[in-house]
């Protein structure tokens, strides 16, 4: 969840569906999930696709990089970046009850030397000087309890996101919602990053579209992307070979 200081924060609860545990914010909408017996596995296809920035970096350098999540959800990306990729990882979450739920129900570790959760407003936090030019993988998944549209979705917000990135850094954004507009969100990102920096997946069956924006635009060949996808699958078990087939530059 992101911000809306004028409203009371929603109740946080969970449900179970066979081997999978879901996080909810006072509604039926799923805000994140965990495979109970394998808590670092990325359950949903769109969450897996939030890792597409791996296609744009040398896999050997991943452990030296820094990840930042805006919106904790069920802690899936935070746990994966910390435990599987062995990256320095930070998540920013407004609702302290979400953090409590992640620690109690979703096996999120306590803060340590390589991982922390900051309770605060993501829009304000990313403007702090220590984030400027420091983030290699910025993952943005900010929804309220109704999951109707992204809570932070302006050109100014995306410009602040771009400013956090290293030269090789990428932002991935989950676009989903009953009243959200994919094209309007894409246009706002393009205003901040430039259309030549934008890549997008086809929508998942559930309707999630993951968009990636590069700090420094590049167009790796299909051969390079294919080779990296094979490495990503072999090292971290992510279906990156499928990504390459449904992931393309955005055309203006």
């Amino acid at each position: 969840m992101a911000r809306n200081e004028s409203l009371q924060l929603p109740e946080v609860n969970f449900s179970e569906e066979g081997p999978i545990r879901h996080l909810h914010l006072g509604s039926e909408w799923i805000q994140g999930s965990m495979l109970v017996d394998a808590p670092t596995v990325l359950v949903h296809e769109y969450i897996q696709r939030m890792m597409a920035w791996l296609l744009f970096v040398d896999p050997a350098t991943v452990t030296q990089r820094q990840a930042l999540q805006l919106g904790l959800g069920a802690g899936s990306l935070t746990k994966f970046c910390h435990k599987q990729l062995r990256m320095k990882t930070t998540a920013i979450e407004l609702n302290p009850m979400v953090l409590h739920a992640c620690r109690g129900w979703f096996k999120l570790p306590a803060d340590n030397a390589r991982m922390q959760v900051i309770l605060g407003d993501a829009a304000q936090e990313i403007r702090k000087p220590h984030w400027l030019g420091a983030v290699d993988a910025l993952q943005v998944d900010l929804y309220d309890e109704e999951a109707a549209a992204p809570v932070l979705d302006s050109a100014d917000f995306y410009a602040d996101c771009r400013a956090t990135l290293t030269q090789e850094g990428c932002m991935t954004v989950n676009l989903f919602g009953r009243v959200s507009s994919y094209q309007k969100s894409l246009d706002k990102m393009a205003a901040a990053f430039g259309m030549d920096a934008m890549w997008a997946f086809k929508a998942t069956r559930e309707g999630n579209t993951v968009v990636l924006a590069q700090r420094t635009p590049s167009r790796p060949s299909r051969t390079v992307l294919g080779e990296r996808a094979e490495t990503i699958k072999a090292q971290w078990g992510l279906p990156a070979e499928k990504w390459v087939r449904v992931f393309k530059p955005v055309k203006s």
Side-chain angles (χ1 to χ4, degrees), residues 130-147:
H130 64 269
W131 290 118
L132 299 180
V135 179
D136 297 289
L138 178 64
Q139 296 161 315
V140 182
D141 193 6
L142 294 168
Y143 289 84
D144 63 15
E145 63 272 25
E146 296 303 324

Side-chain angles (χ1 to χ4, degrees), residues 71-145:
L72 182 60
S76 300
L77 292 170
T78 305
K79 288 184 294 186
F80 192 89
C81 289
H82 171 56
K83 290 201 165 188
Q84 298 297 324
L85 301 186
R86 311 294 297 173
M87 298 175 70
K88 185 176 182 181
T89 306
T90 302
I92 302 172
E93 171 58 47
L94 180 64
N95 190 339
M97 293 179 287
V98 170
L99 176 56
H100 180 74
C102 284
R103 294 255 159 84
W105 303 333
F106 292 89
K107 301 185 181 180
L108 181 72
D111 286 1
N112 57 58
R114 285 193 300 105
M115 192 211 79
Q116 65 170 333
V117 178
I118 295 172
L119 288 172
D121 183 329
Q124 295 177 10
E125 180 65 29
I126 63 172
R127 300 183 72 180
K128 293 182 178 178
H130 64 269
W131 290 118
L132 299 180
V135 179
D136 297 289
L138 178 64
Q139 296 161 315
V140 182
D141 193 6
L142 294 168
Y143 289 84
D144 63 15
E145 63 272 25

Side-chain angles (χ1 to χ4, degrees), residues 14-63:
F14 72 90
S15 64
E16 298 206 351
E17 181 182 5
I20 299 174
R21 182 173 295 163
H22 302 300
L23 178 75
H24 305 270
L25 297 180
S27 75
E28 64 184 11
W29 295 99
I30 294 171
Q31 300 283 344
S33 305
M34 179 185 72
L35 194 61
V36 175
D37 291 338
T40 62
V41 167
L42 299 180
V43 174
H44 298 295
E45 187 173 36
Y46 84 90
I47 287 287
Q48 297 169 359
R49 292 178 176 185
M50 295 286 281
M51 303 301 303
W53 61 270
L54 287 166
L55 292 168
F56 295 90
V57 299
D58 180 348
T61 68
V62 168
T63 58

